[in-house]
């Protein structure tokens, strides 16, 4: 009995036998999750395994169909995030959704029970927020609007909010997917600090290195079921992967060498907001990797090329002919496609079906022979879904019902189906699980082999190094060096030498 009591007290959160279905999709089946006070607990599983769904049950965004949750030894049930926060649980979401026109102070005090009085008094609210921000060395004043912050800073505000609400459990759903290495380090320092204050953290990430660096225990889900829990000490990467996928993932970066042909696309002296005097070329069959810190101008350049932002100087050439692109539709027409970093704002029409999303860019071509193409479209979408191991009940379902990583696969599918000459991929495997990641990598090679020129921005060094024929390294809006695949294979260049240039070194 005494033994039993002791065991119970050890956990700050206990989820037992949780099941949740959405229509015909059983997202969770009888899963467990036990989190100790003051630990960082990783939740690992492939895309669609049910991780976010369980978290949403915990903060009351969903109600579980079956099962019980205990928090700090007491039965716990809440109707929504505000109630959860007041009970001591806060969640930093996979896709941050700030209210852009609120100030930092307003965000921190939004919908809080303990501060209703203060909410009416702007001045007092600002002062108190300043005080809290100072404790975190936050570089902006409390009056700054959320829309002026970087993603990392918005996330920090969410964390500050959670801490200032005295949350004892903070859920972080893929917190680093849009952070660069420096920001990630900063987050890890914050996490260690929270931990030392006894705050428990549930940490969801597809990046294995991070889980080994920051977590104490890991629970693994597969297909909505609970596979098991391990202590991070003593578990290996391979063991975790096989728990996750139920099979071995052989080749993490399946780069194949294919014949590299003529120059397909070339830019000269390209400048715009956030980048300056960029020149490079990419050839048929080549995968050109673009490395650098977040905010170094990589995405900005590609947005410029794709016609999303204005170009202020420079020329672009496609197959030797100068082209002008003022908007994305012109780029697509010429055969330049781009998979965006931010799938929520640019990549997907969340309330359209998966099939409609996939077919969107190729629509103008198909309209010429609509009848003939309906069946073909369906087949193409199904094939593509299969190739990308898309986890969806049907391609007729709305895109928003997919898990984060599966949405990314749909975005990719839609551009692959358009069969472009130049394919620009901005963080193509962000939030994608290990298995699907290597499938996306295989596909990239396949498309390169067909003669496409692929440009890939990635913040994951192992990914750029594993997949690229050539890597351009960005630093503060300019190209600060180029590395060839041979130099990586021979060991002349490595993670460190690339990082050094990303930070401005030579
Ligand atoms: N609102 C919803 N309506 C219908 N189905 C949903 C909804 N939310 C999630 N699902 C389904 O539940 C399953 C689990 O999704 P969940 O988002 O929990 O996965 P995940 O483990 O967080 O994946 P990822 O790593 O890709 O974020 C998926 O099959 C998904 O399509
Ligand atoms: Mg998720």
């Amino acid at each position: 009995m005494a033994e039993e009591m002791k065991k119970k007290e050890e956990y700050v959160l206990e989820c037992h036998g949780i099941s949740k279905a959405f229509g015909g999709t059983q997202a969770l089946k009888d899963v467990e999750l036990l989190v100790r006070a003051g630990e960082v607990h990783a939740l690992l599983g492939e895309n669609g395994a049910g991780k976010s769904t369980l978290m949403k049950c915990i903060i009351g965004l969903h109600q579980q169909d079956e099962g019980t949750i205990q928090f700090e030894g007491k039965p716990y049930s809440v109707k929504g995030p505000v109630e959860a926060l007041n009970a001591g649980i806060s969640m930093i979401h996979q896709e941050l959704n700030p209210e852009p026109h609120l100030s930092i102070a307003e965000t921190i005090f939004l919908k809080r029970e303990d501060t209703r009085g203060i909410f009416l008094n702007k001045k007092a609210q600002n002062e108190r927020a300043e005080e809290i921000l100072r404790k975190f060395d936050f570089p902006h004043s409390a009056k700054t609007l959320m829309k002026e912050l970087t993603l990392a800073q918005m996330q920090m505000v969410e964390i500050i909010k959670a801490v200032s609400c005295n949350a004892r459990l903070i859920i972080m759903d893929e917190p680093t997917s849009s952070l660069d290495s420096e920001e990630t380090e900063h987050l890890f320092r914050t996490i260690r600090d929270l931990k030392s204050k006894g705050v428990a953290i549930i940490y969801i990430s597809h990046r294995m290195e991070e889980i080994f660096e920051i977590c104490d225990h890991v629970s693994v889900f597969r297909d909505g079921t609970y596979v098991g829990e391990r202590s991070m000490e003593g578990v290996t990467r391979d063991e975790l992967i096989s728990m996750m996928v139920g099979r071995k993932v052989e080749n993490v970066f399946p780069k194949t060498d294919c014949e590299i042909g003529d120059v397909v696309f070339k830019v000269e002296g390209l400048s715009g907001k956030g980048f300056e005097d960029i020149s490079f070329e990419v050839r048929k069959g080549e995968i050109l990797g673009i490395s650098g810190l977040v905010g170094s101008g990589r995405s900005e350049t590609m947005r410029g090329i794709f016609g999303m932002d204005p170009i202020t100087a420079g020329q672009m050439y496609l197959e030797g002919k100068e082209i002008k692109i003022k908007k994305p539709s012109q780029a697509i027409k010429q055969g330049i496609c781009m998979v965006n970093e931010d799938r929520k704002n640019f990549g997907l029409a969340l309330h359209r079906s998966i099939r409609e999303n996939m077919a969107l860019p190729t629509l103008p071509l198909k309209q010429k022979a609509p009848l003939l193409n309906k069946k073909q479209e369906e087949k193409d979408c199904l094939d593509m879904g299969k190739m990308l191991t898309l986890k969806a009940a049907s391609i007729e379902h709305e895109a928003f019902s997919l898990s984060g990583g599966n949405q990314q696969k749909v975005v990719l599918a839609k551009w692959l189906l358009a069969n472009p000459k130049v394919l620009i991929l901005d963080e193509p495997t962000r939030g994608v699980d290990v298995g699907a990641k290597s499938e996306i990598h295989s596909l990239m090679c396949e498309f390169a082999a067909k003669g496409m020129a692929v440009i890939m921005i990635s913040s994951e060094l192992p990914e750029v190094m594993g997949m690229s024929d050539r890597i351009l390294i960005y630093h503060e809006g300019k190209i600060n060096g180029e590395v060839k695949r041979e130099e990586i294979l021979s060991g002349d260049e490595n993670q460190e030498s690339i990082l050094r240039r990303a930070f401005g070194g030579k």
Side-chain angles (χ1 to χ4, degrees):
M1 186 66 194
E3 197 55 49
E4 227 176 18
M5 292 279 294
K6 216 170 135 203
K7 226 175 171 180
K8 269 224 141 77
E9 273 167 5
E10 204 187 332
Y11 299 113
V12 54
L13 180 81
E14 293 182 50
C15 304
H16 293 291
I18 308 281
S19 297
K20 173 76 190 170
F22 298 101
T25 311
Q26 190 73 40
L28 294 170
K29 275 172 284 209
D30 193 21
V31 301
E32 304 282 308
L33 182 67
L34 301 172
V35 181
R36 296 151 193 84
E39 77 157 337
V40 184
H41 195 107
L43 189 54
L44 199 60
E46 286 187 288
N47 296 133
K51 304 177 298 290
S52 298
T53 302
L54 179 62
M55 298 305 114
K56 288 176 187 163
C57 289
I58 296 174
I59 60 157
L61 274 177
H62 295 322
Q63 298 297 320
Q64 67 266 29
D65 303 331
E66 275 170 74
T68 57
I69 304 177
Q70 293 224 331
F71 183 56
E72 298 179 324
K74 292 191 282 288
Y76 159 99
S77 155
V78 292
K79 288 194 194 63
V82 180
E83 263 188 65
L85 189 60
N86 288 318
I89 301 181
S90 161
M91 176 160 172
I92 320 287
H93 284 270
Q94 187 164 11
E95 255 123 30
L96 285 176
N97 218 348
E99 305 259 2
H101 300 293
L102 291 187
S103 70
I104 297 178
E106 285 161 339
T107 307
I108 291 181
F109 291 112
L110 190 66
K111 293 186 193 155
R112 271 172 60 172
E113 220 163 53
D114 60 332
T115 51
R116 273 206 193 121
I118 216 169
F119 204 43
L120 300 171
N121 184 342
K122 269 241 148 72
K123 194 161 165 266
Q125 181 181 294
N126 277 332
E127 275 167 15
R128 206 164 136 201
E130 287 301 351
E131 211 176 291
I132 302 171
L133 291 177
R134 245 187 323 247
K135 267 196 226 152
F136 281 86
D137 290 325
F138 197 76
H140 288 279
S141 98
K143 288 184 199 148
T144 312
L145 297 185
M146 290 302 281
K147 65 174 179 195
E148 289 166 40
L149 303 181
T150 65
L151 264 173
Q153 289 167 342
M154 288 180 195
Q155 193 182 54
M156 200 61 212
V157 170
E158 292 292 327
I159 294 173
I160 292 173
K161 173 174 186 172
V163 176
S164 71
C165 287
N166 188 30
R168 274 92 69 205
L169 174 67
I170 301 181
I171 298 166
M172 299 187 181
D173 196 351
E174 298 193 38
T176 58
S177 57
S178 39
L179 304 189
D180 64 36
S181 46
E182 214 172 340
E183 291 165 332
T184 301
E185 262 322 302
H186 188 222
L187 177 71
F188 283 4
R189 278 200 297 279
T190 310
I191 289 179
R192 289 193 185 100
D193 188 46
L194 292 172
K195 210 175 117 165
S196 72
K197 296 193 171 100
V199 177
I201 288 157
I202 299 178
Y203 190 89
I204 301 179
S205 171
H206 290 292
R207 298 191 183 163
M208 209 64 93
E209 315 87 70
E210 290 182 352
I211 290 180
F212 276 97
E213 183 176 343
I214 197 85
C215 298
D216 302 293
H217 288 87
V218 53
S219 290
V220 182
F221 285 10
R222 186 199 310 153
D223 271 340
T225 62
Y226 173 76
V227 182
E229 191 208 80
R230 297 281 185 278
S231 161
M232 288 317 297
E233 281 172 31
V235 74
T236 62
R237 189 193 154 92
D238 283 352
E239 187 183 350
L240 286 179
I241 292 179
S242 71
M243 283 171 85
M244 248 164 80
V245 299
R247 65 189 145 84
K248 260 194 146 158
V249 175
E250 290 295 340
N251 205 343
V252 190
F253 298 110
K255 171 99 176 94
T256 49
D257 287 316
C258 50
E259 200 177 315
I260 293 179
D262 297 338
V263 172
V264 182
F265 182 65
K266 184 167 138 181
V267 304
E268 260 176 18
L270 220 55
S271 298
K273 192 164 178 276
F275 59 95
E276 204 189 318
D277 196 20
I278 301 291
S279 301
F280 66 81
E281 51 183 45
V282 55
R283 293 169 176 269
K284 252 174 130 80
E286 186 178 38
I287 299 179
L288 177 67
I290 304 208
S291 187
L293 304 179
V294 174
S296 59
R298 304 171 305 172
S299 301
E300 287 78 359
T301 309
M302 295 309 145
R303 290 168 57 92
I305 291 174
F306 192 55
M308 293 173 77
D309 289 333
I311 297 275
T312 54
Q315 290 84 40
M316 303 196 258
Y317 303 89
L318 186 69
E319 294 174 327
K321 280 202 288 287
E322 181 165 3
I323 53 166
K324 294 249 186 279
I325 294 172
K326 293 235 157 51
K327 47 186 188 198
S329 59
Q330 291 172 344
I332 296 167
K333 217 160 149 197
Q334 315 245 28
I336 301 175
C337 288
M338 169 149 148
V339 175
N340 231 281
E341 185 178 25
D342 187 346
R343 58 181 167 257
K344 196 162 167 190
N345 289 330
F346 306 107
L348 275 187
L350 287 173
H351 289 284
R352 297 280 203 97
S353 75
I354 297 168
R355 181 176 52 78
E356 285 173 301
N357 268 291
M358 286 191 186
L360 219 53
T362 42
L363 221 50
L365 307 174
K366 282 179 193 145
Q367 271 160 353
K368 289 183 191 134
L371 282 179
L372 198 127
N373 282 307
K374 175 89 182 117
K375 269 228 159 72
Q376 187 63 36
E377 172 181 305
E378 204 174 289
K379 186 177 172 300
D380 287 348
C381 292
L382 283 173
D383 284 352
M384 192 53 84
K386 226 179 267 159
M387 235 188 326
L388 294 169
T389 60
L390 188 72
K391 190 167 180 284
S394 153
I395 56 166
E396 301 305 331
H397 283 186
E398 288 178 29
F400 89 94
S401 70
L402 293 172
S403 77
N406 281 301
Q407 289 181 1
Q408 179 69 359
K409 293 183 197 174
V410 174
V411 178
L412 200 64
K414 108 178 186 192
W415 295 119
L416 289 177
L417 281 171
N419 204 16
K421 292 176 187 150
V422 181
L423 180 64
I424 304 172
L425 304 167
D426 195 349
E427 306 281 4
T429 64
R430 171 171 139 192
V432 168
D433 66 55
V434 269
K437 211 172 198 166
S438 83
E439 274 140 25
I440 288 177
H441 289 150
S442 300
L443 270 177
M444 281 169 59
C445 295
E446 242 173 75
F447 281 89
K450 278 192 191 159
M452 211 180 269
V454 180
I455 302 175
M456 174 186 69
I457 298 180
S458 169
S459 294
E460 273 186 71
L461 272 178
E463 177 174 60
V464 220
M465 291 171 63
M467 291 307 299
S468 312
D469 292 294
R470 206 151 46 85
I471 303 171
L472 301 179
I473 305 155
Y474 263 67
H475 170 69
E476 292 186 350
K478 293 194 172 134
I479 293 175
N480 188 31
E482 180 179 322
V483 166
K484 294 194 177 64
R485 182 167 183 77
E486 298 84 65
E487 295 171 309
I488 289 172
L489 294 177
S490 72
D492 288 348
E493 297 280 351
N494 53 34
Q495 288 214 16
E496 218 188 296
S497 64
I498 294 177
L499 251 185
R500 200 166 43 228
R501 261 170 287 190
F503 278 104
K506 285 285 156 197

